[in-house]
Amino acid sequence: AKKWINIRKSYGNFYKVPRNQTKLTIMLENLGMNYDGRPHSGLDDSKNIARIAIRMLQDGCDLRVNERIHGGQLMTVVSSVPLEGAPAPQMPRYRN
């Protein structure tokens, strides 16, 4: 793969949160989700990242390639179309 979507970058930009709020467990928690599976398991991490991506799409995010490898160097892909953000995710409110 030479191009991909860095979900941490997309999440931070879309929900307007600082980089320290883009760790996998924090992103899930902010979206009202629990981590499913074993931490640091590649398959389980991937499934949880996919759940975040689905939620972002449901919230109106237009996920786009934002990183690539060129000449062995990691590069940020800048889109000419501005991304519209959504309010920061809120923990679901439970009714008593």
Side-chain angles (χ1 to χ4, degrees), residues 14-15 31 33 50-63 86-87:
F14 184 67
Y15 293 117
L31 294 171
M33 300 177 193
R51 291 172 52 222
I52 292 168
I54 290 167
R55 172 64 182 275
M56 291 175 66
L57 291 168
Q58 290 171 339
D59 285 349
C61 183
D62 181 19
L63 292 173

Side-chain angles (χ1 to χ4, degrees), residues 5 10 18 21 24 31-33 38 40 42 44 48 50 53 57-58 66 70 81 84 91-92 95:
I5 298 169
S10 295
Q21 293 292 306
L24 182 55
L31 294 171
M33 300 177 193
R38 291 181 304 125
H40 307 294
D44 291 337
N48 285 290
L57 291 168
Q58 290 171 339
N66 57 13
H70 180 71
V81 179
E84 289 189 26
M91 290 294 292
R95 295 183 182 178

Side-chain angles (χ1 to χ4, degrees), residues 14-37:
F14 184 67
Y15 293 117
K16 308 284 191 242
V17 297
R19 184 159 171 79
N20 67 356
Q21 293 292 306
T22 62
K23 292 181 181 171
L24 182 55
T25 54
I26 293 172
M27 291 188 292
L28 287 164
E29 182 180 303
N30 288 341
L31 294 171
M33 300 177 193
N34 292 319
Y35 186 92
D36 288 342

